[in-house]
Amino acid sequence: MTISVTENAAKQIRKQILKRGKGLGLRVGVKKVGCSGLAYTFDYADQLQPGDHLFEAHEAKLVVDAEVLSILDGSRLDFVKEGFKQVFKFDNPNVASTCGCGESFNVKPFA
């Protein structure tokens, strides 16, 4: 299982941890919501919990719970500017479709 982090995303993770003054890294996850069923979640990770997986790239840490690792496997996390907003964005090969507003998604069936 792997998740890659771009230099832009790593820079933003480091910047936010420094601004906050503490933290291990960025915790990413998935929750059930919206039209298509799932959405990404982002929070600070202050420590590793049982079942967490740690990914490191460009001096930044990404923490993912084992329960959602299969949904995120093979993904690439980037930090992009879209008009006036700046957001973390996943390029996830497991996504089958997204809703019209782009806020939620569903995944391909796992073999």
Side-chain angles (χ1 to χ4, degrees):
M1 301 276 179
T2 183
I3 299 173
S4 63
V5 179
T6 67
E7 286 188 50
N8 280 343
K11 180 179 177 182
Q12 185 64 22
I13 292 168
R14 291 191 314 267
K15 180 179 174 182
Q16 291 300 320
I17 295 297
L18 184 63
K19 182 178 176 182
R20 183 174 181 243
K22 66 176 184 172
L24 174 69
L26 179 67
R27 179 177 295 279
V28 295
V30 174
K31 66 180 179 179
K32 292 182 180 182
V33 298
C35 319
S36 293
L38 301 171
Y40 299 109
T41 62
F42 301 93
D43 199 359
Y44 294 104
D46 290 327
Q47 61 188 12
L48 291 176
Q49 302 294 331
D52 281 347
H53 291 263
L54 181 66
F55 299 90
E56 296 184 57
H58 310 289
E59 300 177 27
K61 294 180 172 93
L62 192 69
V63 179
V64 180
D65 184 284
E67 291 183 18
V68 298
L69 191 57
S70 61
I71 294 171
L72 299 175
D73 184 36
S75 294
R76 181 177 69 102
L77 179 65
D78 198 3
F79 186 76
V80 297
K81 294 179 182 181
E82 296 176 337
F84 289 111
K85 69 179 185 174
Q86 300 177 31
V87 295
F88 284 108
K89 188 171 187 173
F90 272 103
D91 178 14
N92 186 340
N94 303 306
V95 170
S97 64
T98 58
C99 69
C101 65
E103 294 297 318
S104 62
F105 63 94
N106 64 34
V107 292
K108 301 171 188 173
F110 295 101

